[in-house]
Amino acid sequence: GVDRARIVEAAAGLSAVEAESAYALACVRGGKVDAAAVLDAKQAVVRKSGVLEFHEVPANGLDDVAGLDLLKPWLTQRRRAFSPEAKAFGLDTPKGALFVGPPGTGKSLTARATAAAWGLPLIRLDVARLLGSLVGESEGNLRAAIRVVESVAPCVVWVDEIEKALAGAGTDTSGVSTRLVGSLLTWLSEKTAPVYVVATANDVSSLPPELLRKGRLDEVWYVDLPTTREREAILAVHLRRRGREPAAFALGHLASQSPGFSGAELEACVIEALYAAF
């Protein structure tokens, strides 16, 4: 059945012993084996790497993201892109996407929601942690991280604020940043493992142009400040999340009074109002 297929897919990258242990532990804990229990075993593998970490994903997937009406259908269309049926159909494996925009507009939330909507684990790659003090250590850390990521595929890899990670390429005297960027770009172009890379950036002008070309990533998306209608939807999401019925509030008026507010600032308004009410 569908569950069996998802469990088998979730166990991809585990050794036979690790998979057997995951199945046995799931049976002891909950009396049945499911994909979530197998992903727990993968978390242990990822934690050992030191430069990767598992992230919790939103329970409702893309429903937790208000607005972005062009991006959400684009992501939904690629939901089954890693399936055997997609390969048989002749589809290329999707490589990833870059979300660019002002802080607080939901880039990181969309990265997390993508993994939730696709039912895949979300692994955050902290590029700053790759940097080591010894010669060749940084490049070795990146190679090790890539090996771990590919062993737990299919998964979504989230590289947050990638422009800060890639800053200094071509200008550092040791050449470490340049070599790291080169290794990362080569992997993005040539990877065949079902790994979807979601990168976020606040400042696109500081990114190397070779990262932005087609073939490295599928698409670059600009995530702007929300429109009036989107602000209304964002307020509704945050009110609902905190046990309030959005219909009881004058959301249209509130949205019209908050031009230029980011999603994070609207959430802060809801929290501040709850403190006042409490």
Side-chain angles (χ1 to χ4, degrees), residues 160-176:
D160 201 19
E161 297 187 332
I162 193 171
E163 81 274 24
K164 290 180 180 143
L166 303 186
T171 59
D172 61 327
T173 52
S174 67
V176 171

Side-chain angles (χ1 to χ4, degrees), residues 74-85:
W74 185 84
L75 288 170
T76 304
Q77 193 179 47
R78 283 154 177 75
R79 180 183 292 170
R80 293 175 58 238
F82 293 134
S83 65
E85 295 83 13

Side-chain angles (χ1 to χ4, degrees), residues 49-53 124-149 157-159 162 165-166 176-177 179-185 187:
S49 71
V51 296
L52 299 166
E53 57 187 72
R124 184 171 178 267
L125 172 63
D126 188 345
V127 184
R129 282 198 213 169
L130 293 173
L131 299 173
S133 56
L134 303 176
V135 174
E137 188 179 356
S138 304
E139 297 89 322
N141 287 342
L142 178 60
R143 282 194 297 272
I146 288 172
R147 267 199 307 275
V148 171
V149 162
V157 173
W158 171 29
V159 188
I162 193 171
L166 303 186
V176 171
S177 294
R179 289 197 298 275
L180 269 183
V181 171
S183 299
L184 194 59
L185 294 177
W187 178 62

Side-chain angles (χ1 to χ4, degrees), residues 194-244:
V195 176
Y196 194 77
V197 177
V198 175
T200 64
N202 295 322
D203 179 14
V204 71
S205 64
S206 61
L207 291 172
E210 55 269 33
L211 174 70
L212 305 176
R213 77 160 175 81
K214 290 284 189 285
R216 291 260 156 77
L217 295 167
D218 299 324
E219 199 60 84
V220 179
W221 290 88
Y222 180 64
V223 183
D224 203 355
L225 291 168
T227 62
T228 305
R229 186 175 57 81
E230 287 170 340
R231 290 197 297 276
E232 206 171 318
I234 290 167
L235 287 166
V237 166
H238 290 302
L239 286 166
R240 207 174 288 114
R241 191 179 290 168
R242 290 164 178 83
R244 299 296 189 281

